[in-house]
Amino acid sequence: MTHRKPLSDNQRTFLNNLTREVFQTETSAARHSRREAERYGDAPPAAALRAVAVHAERVLTELPGIAERNELVVSKGGIFVGELFSQGRDKFADLLIDSERSYRGTLLGMRHGVDVFRLLQEFADVANNYELRDFAKAWLEERLPLVQRVDHELRWFAENPDVSVGLHGFLAPRLRSVTRLFVH
C-alpha cells in the first residue's frame, strides 16, 4: 500500500515533467539502442545495445499503468518527443558522424536516463510514494548493469578502428569523399 504525502502544485508539476522525461528517455533508449545494434550485426556492442532495448521496450509497456495508478501524466507527448529525436538522429545526424561517435551518443542518452530514474526514485522517496520509488529502484538495479555493459564495449571500437571511423547511411561514400578533400 502506498502512503503518499499530498503534493503541492510545484511538486505535482515537477513530477509530471519528470514523468514526461521518463517516457521520452525510455522511448529513445528502445529506438536508439535497437537501431544502433542493427549497425553492428553480431559484434559485441550489438548484444549490449539489444539488452538495453529489450529492457526499455518492457518498461514502456509498464509505464502507462504505473502512471495511471499514481495519477501521473501518461505522456504521449514524451513518447512523441522521444520518437521525434530518434527519427531525426537516425535520418540526419547519424549520417554525418562516425560509428563510434554515434555509439557514444547512444550511451550518453542511456546515462541521462539513469539520472532521470535516480531523480524519480529520490522524489518518490521524499513524497512517500513507495510504488513509484520501488519501480525506479528496480529499474536502476536492472538498467545500470546493462549500461555498464554498453560502456564496457567502448573498447571494441578501439580494437576495430576501421569500423569506428565508418559513416552510416546511403550518403556515407559521398560524405567520405568530401571529408577527404578537407582532411588531406
Side-chain angles (χ1 to χ4, degrees), residues 18-34 51-69 73-84 86 113 116-117 135 139 142-143:
L18 194 56
T19 302
R20 286 182 188 93
E21 198 167 0
V22 163
F23 276 94
Q24 182 271 320
T25 196
E26 283 305 272
T27 301
S28 292
R31 303 293 189 274
H32 287 299
S33 299
R34 180 88 45 213
V52 170
V54 166
H55 182 241
E57 290 160 355
R58 190 184 80 236
V59 170
L60 282 168
T61 65
E62 297 170 10
L63 273 174
I66 290 166
E68 186 177 317
R69 283 191 306 277
V73 293
V74 176
S75 185
K76 292 181 178 149
I79 293 170
F80 174 75
V81 169
E83 184 60 28
L84 185 64
S86 211
V116 169
F117 273 85
F135 166 71
W139 184 96
E142 189 168 350
R143 182 66 62 88

Side-chain angles (χ1 to χ4, degrees):
M1 178 175 213
T2 300
H3 302 285
R4 293 181 222 150
K5 292 179 182 177
L7 298 179
S8 70
D9 288 344
N10 285 340
Q11 287 175 313
R12 172 65 50 200
T13 299
F14 179 80
L15 184 56
N16 282 333
N17 289 342
L18 194 56
T19 302
R20 286 182 188 93
E21 198 167 0
V22 163
F23 276 94
Q24 182 271 320
T25 196
E26 283 305 272
T27 301
S28 292
R31 303 293 189 274
H32 287 299
S33 299
R34 180 88 45 213
R35 286 181 185 148
E36 197 72 24
E38 289 172 7
R39 294 177 174 136
Y40 302 110
D42 294 331
L49 290 163
R50 284 188 191 100
V52 170
V54 166
H55 182 241
E57 290 160 355
R58 190 184 80 236
V59 170
L60 282 168
T61 65
E62 297 170 10
L63 273 174
I66 290 166
E68 186 177 317
R69 283 191 306 277
N70 290 277
E71 300 171 3
L72 306 172
V73 293
V74 176
S75 185
K76 292 181 178 149
I79 293 170
F80 174 75
V81 169
E83 184 60 28
L84 185 64
F85 284 148
S86 211
Q87 290 291 333
R89 180 176 162 195
D90 187 54
K91 303 296 186 237
F92 302 106
D94 280 357
L95 295 176
L96 303 174
I97 61 174
D98 56 41
S99 299
E100 175 270 331
R101 286 185 196 177
S102 180
Y103 186 87
R104 281 191 295 125
T106 301
L107 179 57
L108 183 62
M110 290 176 193
R111 289 176 175 151
H112 171 79
V114 167
D115 290 344
V116 169
F117 273 85
R118 278 191 175 134
L119 185 54
L120 179 63
Q121 180 184 6
E122 293 297 335
F123 182 85
D125 190 46
V126 167
N128 291 340
N129 186 327
Y130 305 126
E131 180 188 16
L132 205 52
R133 180 202 61 200
D134 293 347
F135 166 71
K137 181 181 180 200
W139 184 96
L140 287 162
E141 288 172 354
E142 189 168 350
R143 182 66 62 88
L144 276 171
L146 299 175
V147 173
Q148 289 168 346
R149 184 174 164 204
V150 172
D151 179 80
H152 177 76
E153 293 301 338
L154 284 171
R155 180 173 179 86
W156 183 85
F157 291 94
E159 294 168 346
N160 295 278
D162 291 342
V163 176
S164 298
V165 298
L167 297 172
H168 302 303
F170 70 95
L171 291 176
R174 289 177 181 88
L175 290 172
R176 276 193 287 276
S177 313
V178 172
T179 304
R180 283 189 198 107
L181 292 173
F182 294 105
V183 175
H184 299 294

